Amino acid sequence: MTDIKIEEEGEKKSLNFIEIAVEKDLSEGKNGGKIQTRFPPEPNGYLHIGHAKAVCIDFGIAQKYNGVCNLRFDDTNPVKEDVEYVDAIKEDIEWLGYKWGNIYYASDYFQQLWDFAIKIIKEGKAYIDEQSAEEIAKQKGTPTQAGINSPYRERPIQENLDLFQRMNTGEIAEGAMVLRAKIDMANPNMHFRDPIMYRIINHSHHRTGTTWKAYPMYDFAHGQSDYIEGVTHSICTLEFEVHRPLYNYFIELIKESDKYQPRQMEFNRLNLTYTVMSKRKLLTLVKDGLVNGWDDPRMPTLCGYRRRGYSPESIHKFIDKIGYTKYDGIIDVSLLESVVREDLNSRATRVSAVINPVKCIITNYPEGKVEKMDAINNPEDHNSASHIIEFSRELYIEREDFMEDAPKKYFRMTPGQEVRLKNAYIVKCTGCKKNAEGDIEEVYCEYDPNTKSGMPESNRKVKGTLHWVSVAHSLPAEVRLYDRLFKVENPTLEEQDGNFRELLNPDSLKVLTNCMVEKYLTEMKPLDYLQFQRIGYFNLDKNSAPDKLIFNRTIGLKDTWSKINK
Ligand code: ATP
Ligand code: MG
């Protein structure tokens, strides 16, 4: 089902509580031993990493127990939904390495759901309420205090049937009527206090157009859709735990036999520090231009992470690490970052890029001479290939790798001190040239020809190793340094009146436009995983072109946040 290998060889993992329950159902022969799950996104936004947690358990359970997982678009609210999102959701699930059985749309069941509702009305178990949403809310009561019956509760069945039809013709205004289940206004579970089953929405639906004006509510659509499809395990997040009795109640009303019964199970939602996760908030970030689209590399969306350079395997490893529980909490985003860092360490091609260049001239190196140095692609991999990096008399090094008056423990370039140039020679700094303002324009050094990497003399101890690129063999590039989007640990908790603008990290994106990178980078494809040696993990942006190279910083080599904040 998936090409992505996440479990390490020989690793035996204990089962999570969902797997334990599924195995128990199987051993008891429930539903004839069949396993069927679904992933039910509402197509009103792009998938984020929280959804990935749901995707991994929905598809993972089906995969592990020889079942099937279908993709169901929960498109019961035409106002917020769009096909753009449908396509993006499919792409992201595929990126995670999963294949669905079928694609379904809750909207395909509108007729069946309507027929179920008619059946329930005919049984005297639902009625049309003409009160406003506010009035209905007022009568709900509290968990410790019973609610009040609606004055429309005892409406005759025939009248209910007639009004229900009219709710769907367009003659009744939005909000003027709803269909409510007639259950129990005193039930301790608030969801049983005559929940709304249908409401009127006068908005064209992206698939059914203007056929429907009355739309089913979540509680009347979800369980029924599971039932229609034959879902055996309907896995969702903890906030639906209190809906479960209602889920079972509606299925009881419509089910035709006792042979099959879908089961709802709940796990803890993923929340991450320094991150907002709800689609509504992510949409605000996009709409207000606070980020550059859903796939901005600072977004916690799967397309954002992909563009930023996270591998799908690292998402799996992270989800695996945090596991599935029955308790809500918030996960430190540095855990995700450390998983990504570890993953990229084994995956990324090591290359040379100078992001803040200053010229460095090796005064005793012959003019016009070019040496082809061997640069290993990944020292973590014993079978790693290597590539050629050209070395010459004129190089670029990082500005911060030179200091004229350096403190004692500065092991980089400073007059009189030796450093190694990665994959090349040991050089001794001899001085620099400054302009009228005192800015360093050029750094000078001399090389020792006996110290080329691989020569016996190359073992000579020097404390610092610097990366470099050759002036004549490097290309200009734009480098985008991404950081956390929020500067506060829990933006959802700290926002005022839904406004999180002030909580944004002003330094979440820095664009460097005069970087120089080794030529080899023109051979890279978008999304290839790279390590700019000594700087961090990067990838090629999707908008990069051979004549305008653009790189995104995926993550730094070390966690700098924990140091700053602790
Ligand atoms: P949001 O609250 O971000 O808008 P949602 O729950 O409305 O998300 P849906 O499209 O309805 O989004 O979600 C599809 C599935 O993903 C549901 O089963 C839902 O429970 C699950 N899901 C959504 N957010 C998370 C999360 N943060 N952690 C785990 N699962 C999640
Ligand atoms: Mg939802």
Side-chain angles (χ1 to χ4, degrees):
M1 199 156 160
T2 166
D3 300 330
I4 295 178
K5 278 246 173 307
I6 42 165
E7 278 182 37
E8 277 159 35
E9 206 88 355
E11 191 184 352
K12 254 263 176 268
K13 288 210 357 243
S14 57
L15 300 178
N16 63 44
F17 76 96
I18 299 171
E19 292 164 329
I20 291 171
V22 168
E23 292 198 1
K24 186 158 177 286
D25 288 348
L26 281 174
S27 71
E28 290 170 3
K30 284 203 184 142
N31 299 316
K34 185 179 101 164
I35 296 294
Q36 186 173 318
T37 60
R38 85 289 168 265
F39 175 64
E42 189 181 347
N44 61 353
Y46 284 64
L47 296 186
H48 50 60
I49 191 160
H51 292 118
K53 181 171 176 181
V55 166
C56 288
I57 192 77
D58 291 333
F59 284 89
I61 288 284
Q63 193 170 346
K64 188 160 182 178
Y65 299 104
N66 297 316
V68 63
C69 178
N70 297 313
L71 180 56
R72 183 202 311 145
F73 290 102
D74 214 344
D75 55 349
T76 52
N77 184 350
V79 180
K80 295 181 290 174
E81 296 158 4
D82 202 275
V83 266
E84 172 199 351
Y85 301 129
V86 169
D87 295 338
I89 288 168
K90 289 190 214 165
E91 186 183 351
D92 288 345
I93 294 172
E94 284 176 332
W95 182 64
L96 287 175
Y98 291 117
K99 287 194 171 59
W100 47 84
N102 283 306
I103 296 184
Y104 297 126
Y105 293 84
S107 57
D108 288 344
Y109 312 137
F110 282 166
Q111 186 60 52
Q112 262 166 295
L113 295 171
W114 179 267
D115 296 341
F116 286 148
I118 299 272
K119 175 179 174 319
I120 293 170
I121 298 173
K122 282 186 177 161
E123 288 170 3
K125 291 176 181 155
Y127 61 96
I128 301 288
D129 198 335
E130 289 176 56
Q131 299 182 97
S132 66
E134 294 74 38
E135 281 167 315
I136 292 176
K138 251 193 262 162
Q139 293 168 356
K140 268 254 144 133
T142 65
T144 51
Q145 195 178 25
I148 298 166
N149 284 355
S150 160
Y152 299 98
R153 202 169 194 263
E154 301 308 327
R155 204 192 274 282
I157 290 176
Q158 198 48 50
E159 210 178 297
N160 283 322
L161 286 171
D162 177 51
L163 288 175
F164 190 45
Q165 296 293 351
R166 288 173 54 194
M167 271 178 68
N168 202 39
T169 56
E171 61 191 288
I172 316 259
E174 268 186 36
M177 280 180 197
V178 290
L179 178 69
R180 292 179 76 182
K182 189 172 172 179
I183 310 180
D184 176 9
M185 288 303 290
N187 198 294
N189 182 336
M190 301 285 286
H191 294 279
F192 271 114
R193 296 189 182 175
D194 291 9
I196 296 171
M197 295 166 64
Y198 268 85
R199 64 196 186 296
I200 299 169
I201 302 176
N202 278 316
H203 197 283
S204 169
H205 186 281
H206 72 110
R207 295 189 79 241
T208 57
T210 52
T211 309
W212 300 92
K213 305 278 185 286
Y215 287 90
M217 300 294 290
Y218 173 87
D219 282 318
F220 194 66
H222 204 91
Q224 295 19 265
S225 304
D226 285 347
Y227 180 80
I228 292 166
E229 288 169 9
V231 168
T232 58
H233 295 84
S234 182
I235 307 164
C236 59
T237 36
L238 277 177
E239 69 272 23
F240 293 104
E241 193 166 16
V242 284
H243 294 245
R244 197 197 318 142
L246 188 58
Y247 177 97
N248 292 334
Y249 172 85
F250 280 133
I251 288 173
E252 271 311 310
L253 286 188
I254 61 163
K255 84 175 183 190
E256 282 162 4
S257 91
D258 283 333
K259 283 207 194 98
Y260 158 64
Q261 173 82 40
R263 172 178 183 186
Q264 180 185 304
M265 304 167 86
E266 311 85 14
F267 66 86
N268 63 329
R269 194 179 182 83
L270 170 62
N271 301 301
L272 277 179
T273 57
Y274 298 95
T275 311
V276 295
M277 198 83 91
S278 101
K279 276 187 282 194
R280 187 177 49 77
K281 287 181 185 152
L282 298 177
L283 181 64
T284 306
L285 288 170
V286 173
K287 281 212 168 135
D288 293 358
L290 300 170
V291 295
N292 302 313
W294 284 97
D295 70 346
D296 185 300
R298 291 165 293 180
M299 290 281 272
T301 50
L302 294 179
C303 55
Y305 286 135
R306 176 162 66 236
R307 183 166 179 190
R308 179 143 175 183
Y310 286 25
S311 72
E313 289 85 353
S314 64
I315 305 284
H316 280 280
K317 283 179 198 158
F318 170 67
I319 303 282
D320 241 31
K321 250 195 171 74
I322 58 174
Y324 295 84
T325 75
K326 277 286 205 184
Y327 308 97
D328 271 323
I330 182 160
I331 302 283
D332 192 337
V333 73
S334 61
L335 179 66
L336 171 63
E337 292 166 349
S338 78
V339 168
V340 168
R341 205 173 274 123
E342 198 183 293
D343 174 75
L344 288 174
N345 184 39
S346 61
R347 189 182 297 282
T349 302
R350 272 58 170 174
V351 294
S352 295
V354 177
I355 63 171
N356 184 15
V358 63
K359 226 179 219 182
C360 172
I361 297 169
I362 306 168
T363 48
N364 63 339
Y365 193 86
E367 265 182 65
K369 180 173 173 178
V370 177
E371 279 182 90
K372 294 190 167 172
M373 305 304 196
D374 209 32
I376 190 151
N377 289 351
N378 189 342
E380 299 290 314
D381 172 4
H382 298 305
N383 303 315
S384 171
S386 57
H387 67 272
I388 295 296
I389 180 167
E390 280 102 346
F391 183 82
S392 69
R393 180 186 153 91
E394 295 200 359
L395 308 175
Y396 287 117
I397 61 167
E398 297 289 349
R399 212 161 258 285
E400 61 172 48
D401 281 343
F402 173 79
M403 242 179 152
E404 201 177 8
D405 294 305
K408 246 198 167 143
K409 290 216 163 145
Y410 186 82
F411 299 125
R412 294 177 260 173
M413 260 203 216
T414 186
Q417 184 158 290
E418 282 196 326
V419 292
R420 166 166 293 288
L421 295 176
K422 180 89 183 160
N423 301 315
Y425 296 97
I426 291 174
V427 295
K428 185 186 236 170
C429 183
T430 52
C432 66
K433 180 173 111 187
K434 286 188 269 190
N435 66 13
E437 282 81 49
D439 301 327
I440 312 289
E441 282 192 325
E442 281 175 357
V443 174
Y444 303 112
C445 60
E446 288 177 354
Y447 85 123
D448 177 343
N450 298 318
T451 57
K452 188 170 165 179
S453 293
M455 286 179 172
E457 278 274 317
S458 74
N459 289 332
R460 195 158 90 216
K461 271 265 169 290
V462 285
K463 284 235 166 90
T465 299
L466 306 186
H467 66 279
W468 49 270
V469 294
S470 163
V471 170
H473 304 91
S474 57
L475 297 164
E478 176 177 315
V479 170
R480 299 174 181 171
L481 299 178
Y482 289 105
D483 204 343
R484 293 178 185 171
L485 184 55
F486 288 93
K487 60 184 178 191
V488 298
E489 200 163 315
N490 194 339
T492 303
L493 216 64
E494 294 191 35
E495 71 180 13
Q496 305 279 323
D497 309 320
N499 181 4
F500 39 73
R501 226 168 245 265
E502 256 103 83
L503 308 177
L504 289 167
N505 173 8
D507 300 320
S508 65
L509 171 58
K510 280 190 202 140
V511 180
L512 307 178
T513 50
N514 65 343
C515 310
M516 299 302 295
V517 301
E518 64 170 297
K519 250 192 190 153
Y520 175 57
L521 284 168
T522 54
E523 291 175 31
M524 298 296 142
K525 298 183 300 300
L527 304 187
D528 274 354
Y529 306 106
L530 305 169
Q531 186 197 88
F532 286 2
Q533 292 179 100
R534 299 179 60 231
I535 301 179
Y537 293 104
F538 288 78
N539 78 348
L540 198 64
D541 189 72
K542 66 169 190 186
N543 292 336
S544 183
D547 58 344
K548 189 180 189 307
L549 293 169
I550 305 171
F551 297 92
N552 298 317
R553 179 168 70 192
T554 312
I555 188 99
L557 294 176
K558 290 199 187 89
D559 179 3
T560 48
W561 278 77
S562 57
K563 262 189 248 149
I564 296 169
N565 293 298
K566 273 166 196 151

